[in-house]
């Protein structure tokens, strides 16, 4: 059973290139166990896309390609993968290089260039090519090692505005970069973030007609944790918070359709979902309203929902890998599933 835990949320000073290296230690004996950039983009026609890739997702020496998707309006099934995995493999080895302006992670079909406030991501052998500028400060939450949490957990989150091209067409939208830390020997999948901490997590970016913006991230922890970390940035001014209140609405199958976020009593917003990228975990969409009296011009959101019995899925995936040397097809695994009372069940 989850227990109330101790955690801290705070803003970082201006990052340096040291913060992007695999050798970075924000605290003694901490190391990056997962590095994950992701985007939600729209083109000139309003078509929405999502991409995500994680360094050290399943192996210390590989990246995990979580796909580039074209949102199709369906919430109860996975939307189409835009780049075939035969051309853009699920796993790839990588190497790290460095210039005076960036630390770069480079694979066969992709590369990341992470700088102090500017980022570039090329994927699909150039089909996706975006640059991003950081908005506000880096915001970090830290869960120290404590009873029930044998692995410490730290996440440093960067919010940005992305612009670039996808298959030659101009796109723009939300950019996020998360550096997740724990003990150097840990894998991201075993440190407990998905099975002991996480329930709902969301990221958003709004551009207002007056030229300003608002965005950030917010979490709803598993029942009993009281975890409610958030980062809220308005027109360049960041605040770290621990008062996020997240409520969700769902389809009959259990997919997230709408998310309402309240940050204390002074700010709130609603997120509408426009498609699912890997059911039931991820949905993308727009921001339908905020408590500000400003008029929304453009908006994007990325929402992640983990059923409370996700540890059973993780155990099955690990057992399959041990038996067959590969992980099972996620789409086939979820094909006959549904979510009831936040629990994943199968027919």
């Amino acid at each position: 059973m989850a227990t109330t835990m101790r955690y801290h949320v705070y803003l970082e000073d201006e990052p340096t290139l040291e913060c992007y290296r695999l050798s970075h230690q924000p605290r003694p004996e901490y190391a990056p166990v997962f590095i994950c950039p992701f985007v939600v983009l729209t083109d000139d026609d309003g078509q929405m896309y999502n991409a995500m890739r994680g360094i050290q997702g399943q192996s210390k020496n590989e990246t995990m390609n979580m796909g580039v998707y074209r949102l199709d309006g369906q919430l109860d099934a996975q939307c189409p993968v835009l780049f075939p995995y035969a051309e853009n493999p699920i796993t790839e080895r990588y190497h790290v290089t460095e210039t005076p302006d960036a630390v770069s992670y480079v694979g066969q079909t992709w590369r990341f260039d992470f700088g102090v406030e500017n980022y570039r991501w090329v994927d699909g052998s150039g089909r996706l090519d975006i640059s991003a500028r950081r908005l506000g400060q880096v915001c970090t939450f830290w869960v120290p090692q404590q009873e029930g949490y044998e692995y410490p957990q730290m996440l440093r989150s960067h919010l940005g505005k992305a612009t670039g091209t996808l298959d030659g067409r101009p796109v723009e939208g939300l950019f996020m970069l998360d550096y997740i830390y724990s003990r150097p020997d840990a894998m991201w999948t075993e440190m407990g973030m998905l099975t002991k901490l996480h329930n709902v997590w969301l990221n958003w970016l709004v551009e207002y007609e007056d030229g300003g913006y608002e965005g950030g991230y917010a979490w709803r922890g598993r029942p009993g944790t009281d975890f409610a970390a958030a980062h809220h940035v308005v027109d360049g001014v960041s605040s770290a918070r621990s008062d996020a209140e997240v409520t969700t609405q769902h389809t009959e199958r259990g997919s997230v359709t709408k998310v309402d976020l309240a940050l204390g009593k002074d700010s709130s917003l609603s997120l509408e979902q426009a498609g699912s990228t890997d059911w039931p975990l991820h949905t993308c969409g727009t921001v339908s309203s905020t408590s500000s009296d400003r008029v929304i011009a453009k908006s994007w959101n990325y929402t992640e929902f983990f059923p409370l019995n996700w540890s059973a899925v993780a155990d099955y995936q690990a057992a399959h890998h041990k038996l067959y040397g590969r992980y099972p097809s996620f789409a086939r695994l979820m094909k006959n599933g549904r979510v009831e009372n936040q629990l994943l069940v199968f027919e």
Side-chain angles (χ1 to χ4, degrees), residues 7 23 39 46 65 82 102 119 148 166 226 234 236 250 257 297-298 303 309 321:
Y7 72 96
S23 59
V39 288
N65 172 24
L82 195 60
Y119 317 88
L166 177 58
D226 290 340
V234 181
H250 301 260
T257 61
K298 301 175 183 178
T303 297
N309 59 342
H321 184 269

Side-chain angles (χ1 to χ4, degrees), residues 36-42 48-53 67-69 71 121 123 128 130-132 160-163 166 171-177 277 284 300-302:
C36 187
F38 52 97
V39 288
V40 179
L41 305 167
T42 47
M48 185 167 284
Y49 306 90
N50 165 243
M52 177 183 270
R53 183 181 285 274
V68 180
Y69 298 92
L71 277 293
W121 178 0
D123 217 317
L128 176 68
I130 60 167
S131 298
K161 171 64 185 294
T163 56
L166 177 58
V171 289
E172 63 175 339
L174 165 73
F175 171 87
M176 294 290 294
L177 171 62
T277 58
C284 306
W300 305 267
N301 91 74
Y302 190 60

Side-chain angles (χ1 to χ4, degrees), residues 10 20 45 49 154 167-169 212 217 273:
Y10 54 91
Y20 301 105
D45 294 329
Y49 306 90
M154 177 180 285
D167 285 337
R169 297 196 62 177
Y217 75 72
Q273 308 306 312

Side-chain angles (χ1 to χ4, degrees), residues 26-75:
R27 301 186 68 84
E29 299 184 8
Y30 280 43
V33 298
F34 194 52
I35 303 169
C36 187
F38 52 97
V39 288
V40 179
L41 305 167
T42 47
D43 62 21
D44 291 341
D45 294 329
Q47 175 62 54
M48 185 167 284
Y49 306 90
N50 165 243
M52 177 183 270
R53 183 181 285 274
I55 297 170
Q56 303 188 151
Q58 296 174 343
S59 167
K60 294 289 188 182
N61 300 314
E62 293 179 334
T63 59
M64 180 169 60
N65 172 24
M66 286 169 265
V68 180
Y69 298 92
R70 179 182 183 273
L71 277 293
D72 62 358
Q74 300 296 316
L75 291 173

Side-chain angles (χ1 to χ4, degrees), residues 270-289:
S270 294
L271 311 180
E272 299 289 343
Q273 308 306 312
S276 176
T277 58
D278 50 0
W279 188 94
L281 303 183
H282 295 113
T283 51
C284 306
T286 58
V287 180
S288 56
S289 66

Side-chain angles (χ1 to χ4, degrees), residues 13-326:
D13 295 331
E14 190 78 2
T16 65
L17 290 189
E18 170 63 24
C19 299
Y20 301 105
R21 298 176 183 139
L22 286 172
S23 59
H24 184 227
Q25 290 186 304
R27 301 186 68 84
E29 299 184 8
Y30 280 43
V33 298
F34 194 52
I35 303 169
C36 187
F38 52 97
V39 288
V40 179
L41 305 167
T42 47
D43 62 21
D44 291 341
D45 294 329
Q47 175 62 54
M48 185 167 284
Y49 306 90
N50 165 243
M52 177 183 270
R53 183 181 285 274
I55 297 170
Q56 303 188 151
Q58 296 174 343
S59 167
K60 294 289 188 182
N61 300 314
E62 293 179 334
T63 59
M64 180 169 60
N65 172 24
M66 286 169 265
V68 180
Y69 298 92
R70 179 182 183 273
L71 277 293
D72 62 358
Q74 300 296 316
L75 291 173
D76 284 336
Q78 178 173 300
C79 63
V81 176
L82 195 60
F83 299 175
Y85 288 117
E87 301 174 9
N88 210 37
I90 293 176
T91 59
E92 287 187 36
R93 306 274 293 187
Y94 68 92
H95 64 274
V96 183
T97 64
E98 189 167 341
T99 69
D101 299 317
V103 175
S104 299
Y105 296 80
V106 184
Q108 183 177 351
T109 66
W110 59 275
R111 71 176 291 141
F112 302 141
D113 301 306
F114 298 151
V116 169
E117 60 182 18
N118 294 294
Y119 317 88
R120 189 178 180 204
W121 178 0
V122 179
D123 217 317
S125 299
R127 291 179 63 181
L128 176 68
D129 189 340
I130 60 167
S131 298
R133 176 178 57 87
R134 179 164 51 84
L135 303 174
Q137 292 173 252
V138 175
C139 187
T140 296
F141 73 73
W142 172 40
V143 180
Q145 184 174 343
Q146 57 196 277
E147 183 179 357
Y149 300 87
E150 60 271 26
Y151 291 97
Q153 304 182 27
M154 177 180 285
L155 184 146
R156 301 175 62 252
S157 185
H158 311 62
L159 167 68
K161 171 64 185 294
T163 56
T165 59
L166 177 58
D167 285 337
R169 297 196 62 177
V171 289
E172 63 175 339
L174 165 73
F175 171 87
M176 294 290 294
L177 171 62
D178 288 342
Y179 266 67
I180 298 175
Y181 298 81
S182 190
R183 296 195 328 233
D185 62 302
M187 289 300 299
W188 170 66
T189 50
E190 65 187 13
M191 61 184 281
M193 184 168 284
L194 303 182
T195 56
K196 294 187 175 183
L197 177 67
H198 183 16
N199 181 210
V200 177
W201 158 76
L202 59 95
N203 306 264
W204 82 97
L205 177 62
V206 173
E207 292 186 346
Y208 292 110
E209 287 192 352
D210 62 12
Y213 69 87
E214 180 176 357
Y217 75 72
W219 292 70
R220 183 177 77 193
R222 293 170 65 86
T225 62
D226 290 340
F227 183 63
H231 172 214
H232 189 205
V233 55
V234 181
D235 298 332
V237 179
S238 286
S239 59
R241 310 185 63 139
S242 57
D243 58 356
E245 183 178 342
V246 177
T247 57
T248 53
Q249 297 180 24
H250 301 260
T251 68
E252 185 174 345
R253 191 187 182 197
S255 309
V256 174
T257 61
K258 183 181 179 182
V259 182
D260 292 310
L261 168 66
L263 296 173
K265 297 181 179 180
D266 54 270
S267 185
S268 62
L269 55 102
S270 294
L271 311 180
E272 299 289 343
Q273 308 306 312
S276 176
T277 58
D278 50 0
W279 188 94
L281 303 183
H282 295 113
T283 51
C284 306
T286 58
V287 180
S288 56
S289 66
T290 74
S291 56
S292 170
D293 58 4
R294 305 159 85 179
V295 178
I296 297 174
K298 301 175 183 178
S299 66
W300 305 267
N301 91 74
Y302 190 60
T303 297
E304 184 174 74
F305 162 62
F306 270 82
L308 298 179
N309 59 342
W310 193 253
S311 58
V313 177
D315 289 345
Y316 175 82
Q317 290 174 315
H320 191 284
H321 184 269
K322 186 174 182 179
L323 282 172
Y324 302 108
R326 57 181 174 80

Side-chain angles (χ1 to χ4, degrees), residues 5-16:
M5 63 180 190
R6 294 178 290 111
Y7 72 96
H8 309 272
V9 190
Y10 54 91
L11 299 175
E12 300 273 2
D13 295 331
E14 190 78 2
T16 65

